[in-house]
Amino acid sequence: RDWWSAFDGAVVFLTVLAWVVMRLRRASIAREEAEEADLWLLTLRFALQPCRAFAAAKMAHKVQVMQQSHMDVNFDVLARPPQTS
């Protein structure tokens, strides 16, 4: 099981729960503004999740290309004595 997906799901659930609680309960204006700013930051975090996934995929692709272009070293050549003419 992918623990990052479970973590992201839990954060989404808590965000939605916080929105519902904020709407049902009226508090002071300063507190509501602080909660709203916090919720907007969480919303921004989840909106940027595809960018994080794209960056990870891009890095994995770079590593794969680097591994494919890697040449093996032939150490048998070093074991031969030098030939004299």
Side-chain angles (χ1 to χ4, degrees):
R1 179 156 169 99
D2 186 13
W3 292 106
W4 282 113
S5 295
F7 174 73
D8 286 339
V11 172
V12 167
F13 173 75
L14 292 174
T15 302
V16 171
L17 183 65
W19 282 340
V20 170
V21 168
M22 187 179 77
R23 291 292 171 208
L24 294 176
R25 182 179 56 136
R26 295 289 174 204
S28 68
I29 293 176
R31 183 174 178 173
E32 284 185 14
E33 288 176 359
E35 287 177 352
E36 187 173 339
D38 186 41
L39 292 176
W40 278 112
L41 289 173
L42 284 173
T43 303
L44 180 63
R45 177 188 182 269
F46 283 103
L48 294 175
Q49 283 289 70
C51 296
R52 186 177 87 172
F54 176 74
K58 183 178 175 184
M59 188 59 66
H61 177 71
K62 284 175 84 172
V63 168
Q64 187 178 24
V65 168
M66 185 176 60
Q67 288 175 342
Q68 288 173 351
S69 67
H70 175 72
M71 290 180 40
D72 290 331
V73 176
N74 186 1
F75 289 103
D76 294 335
V77 175
L78 297 174
R80 293 186 204 147
Q83 296 178 355
T84 58
S85 355

